[in-house]
């Protein structure tokens, strides 16, 4: 199994003065000189730099005490998860699998070589325990593809020791800033190397005209990275495209307002990105990753249906079918897990006097029997052609969207109409549920209303970027969806309890406790049904 480490670090620009004295940092009792380590790393990526554009790095490094393959995923600013594999000639299959959603069938190639002479200092506390490692790196980077350009610089890297409070880095930061050291403009060595070894950047560094070397192209990943960086710096004005220079006085005239398709495609793209980005987390079995990826597939499928006046269903319906398949694969065992958690919590809430017989053992056996052990199957799905074809199809949809006439329409009219259409379906089903007595018909109507409330919520989410007023509709639909979902969970719990009671009786066990839990679930469902008219009235309020 690959070794995973949470890396928390900060990078700083460095000049010839080297590392300031850090003995005055609060908590630091000793600064130990660990000598100089020679590090040599080759960074791999696709030819169009898909990993770099996502802030992901894959390297094969020799030298130092952690030689091997290192795959790093960004978590937040200055925080990355580093997954390690031993040295080998080829990219380890375990790491390549974690990159599958991004690289698809594209080869990983050596992109940049970075050699560093690292002068290492350990910051120790009064007990001699490591607080952080500080390195002063003399860096030499060279591009291994395209135009063979090189660059060099010096930087200071402060990496927090495992298990230490990240606030300690603030103390080090304060000391460094006081000494005149400034934060690095690049988030990583690779990012800086890519920037400074593109032909245009290299020409600018030499004072030459801002033009590309003959025959050279700017790496797509570098361009996307710069665009992403700009997006992080501040939100563009909503509803207006980039402006262009007018003829008179150098003024900039606004472009026409954004059309409906821009907002729909932005939402579709965000869900595609979520699926791709969550893929490695699902493979690593990180908490809530499967559920989050399943939600993204549902959001995407729902938006394609809600905005069928914008995107032609002739093209999107087959995609929706594949998204439904993927959500189903992600949901194998998920519903069983949720139901088991609900029943376990219900048992925990019962007084011991009402627990009769081997109820917990029976529940555990029932849960295990209903679980398919699907993890291996799920990884096979993510490695399969059908899933990768779906990702490629989503890319193609966004690259050349099948737009209909309404796509060029006024966002307010088109988006509002779509949201209201979905909300109308909710109203019909809630009214139907309120018109029938408690029982199977009401349960089915409330379940269908829940699904439609979810779709209405997702339709409103796609419109939020256009108008903040849709946030209220998102909250309202989510609240109604939650209430109806709790009711459906109660329906499913009662079905499970009947099954458990039947199994218990067949094994000669007392079924009393299952009856108690059934009664509680029945009462909970009745309470929800009693509050539904008021909840629906609040949902209807603009």
């Amino acid at each position: 199994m690959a070794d995973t480490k949470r890396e928390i670090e900060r990078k700083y620009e460095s000049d010839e003065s080297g590392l300031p004295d850090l003995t005055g940092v609060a908590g630091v009792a000793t600064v130990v000189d660990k000598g100089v380590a020679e590090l040599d790393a080759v960074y791999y990526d696709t030819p169009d730099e898909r990993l770099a554009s996502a802030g992901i790095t894959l390297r094969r490094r020799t030298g130092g005490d952690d030689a091997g393959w290192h795959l790093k995923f960004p978590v937040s600013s200055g925080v990355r998860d580093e997954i390690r594999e031993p040295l080998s000639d080829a990219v380890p299959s375990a790491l390549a699998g974690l990159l599958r959603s991004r690289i698809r069938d594209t080869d990983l190639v050596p992109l940049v070589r970075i050699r560093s002479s690292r002068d290492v200092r350990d910051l120790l506390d009064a007990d001699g325990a490591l607080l952080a490692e500080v390195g002063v790196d003399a860096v030499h980077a060279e591009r291994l593809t395209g135009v063979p350009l090189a660059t060099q610089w010096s930087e200071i890297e402060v990496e927090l020791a495992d298990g230490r409070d990240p606030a300690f880095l603030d103390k080090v930061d304060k000391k460094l800033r006081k000494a005149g050291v400034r934060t690095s403009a690049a988030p990583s060595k690779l990012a800086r190397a890519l920037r400074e070894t593109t032909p245009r950047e290299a020409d600018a560094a030499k004072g030459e005209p801002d033009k590309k070397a003959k025959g050279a192209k700017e790496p797509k990943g570098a361009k996307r990275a710069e665009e992403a960086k700009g997006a992080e710096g501040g939100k563009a004005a909503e509803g207006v495209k980039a402006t262009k220079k007018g003829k008179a006085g150098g003024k900039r005239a606004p472009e026409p307002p954004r059309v409906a398709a821009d907002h729909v495609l932005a939402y579709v793209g965000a869900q595609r990105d979520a699926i791709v980005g969550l893929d490695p987390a699902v493979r690593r079995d990180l908490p809530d990753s499967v559920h989050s990826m399943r939600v993204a597939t549902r959001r995407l499928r729902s938006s394609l249906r809600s905005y069928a006046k914008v995107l032609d269903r002739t093209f999107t319906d087959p995609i929706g079918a594949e998204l439904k398949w993927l959500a189903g694969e992600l949901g194998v065992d998920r519903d069983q897990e949720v139901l088991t958690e609900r029943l376990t919590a219900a048992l925990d809430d019962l007084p011991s006097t009402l627990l009769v017989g081997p109820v917990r053992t029976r529940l555990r056996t029932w849960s295990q029997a209903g679980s398919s052990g699907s993890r291996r199957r799920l990884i096979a799905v993510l490695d399969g052609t059908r899933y990768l074809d779906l990702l490629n199809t989503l890319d193609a949809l966004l690259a050349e969207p099948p737009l209909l006439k309404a796509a060029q329409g006024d966002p307010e009219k088109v988006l509002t109409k779509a949201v209201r259409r979905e909300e109308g379906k909710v109203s019909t089903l809630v009214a139907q549920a309120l018109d029938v007595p408690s029982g199977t018909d009401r349960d089915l109507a409330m379940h269908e209303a829940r699904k439609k409330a979810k779709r209405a919520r997702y339709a409103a989410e796609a419109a939020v970027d256009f108008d903040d007023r849709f946030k209220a509709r998102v909250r309202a639909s989510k609240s109604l969806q939650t209430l109806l979902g709790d009711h459906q969970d109660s329906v499913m719990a009662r079905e499970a309890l009947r099954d458990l009671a039947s199994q218990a009786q067949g094994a000669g066990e007392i079924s009393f406790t299952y009856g108690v839990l059934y009664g509680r679930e029945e009462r909970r469902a009745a309470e929800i049904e009693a509050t539904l008219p008021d909840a629906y009235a609040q949902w209807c309020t603009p």
Side-chain angles (χ1 to χ4, degrees), residues 140-200:
H140 180 274
E142 56 184 315
R143 185 176 283 270
L144 302 177
T145 60
V147 181
L149 298 174
T151 186
Q152 59 186 28
W153 69 89
S154 181
E155 70 178 33
I156 296 173
E157 182 177 292
V158 184
E159 182 174 347
L160 190 70
D162 293 344
R164 292 294 182 173
D165 185 354
F168 175 73
L169 293 182
D170 294 333
K171 301 175 183 178
V172 178
D173 180 83
K174 183 177 180 180
K175 183 72 171 181
L176 291 175
R177 288 180 180 275
K178 190 173 183 180
V181 177
R182 62 188 182 279
T183 301
S184 175
S188 67
K189 287 182 176 65
L190 177 62
R192 181 165 180 174
L194 288 174
R195 188 182 69 232
E196 295 185 6
T197 60
T198 59
R200 184 171 61 183

Side-chain angles (χ1 to χ4, degrees), residues 6 13 51 62 64 87-88 104 115 132 139 160 167 169 171 190 192 251 283 290 302 317 326-327 342 370 381 432 477:
R6 176 62 57 90
E13 305 284 352
L51 303 186
T62 57
L87 277 176
S88 60
R104 317 285 167 79
R115 286 170 288 176
V139 184
L160 190 70
L169 293 182
K171 301 175 183 178
L190 177 62
R192 181 165 180 174
K251 294 182 179 180
R283 293 172 185 269
V290 172
S302 179
D317 276 0
L326 178 57
R342 183 182 182 98
V381 166
Q432 179 181 333
S477 291

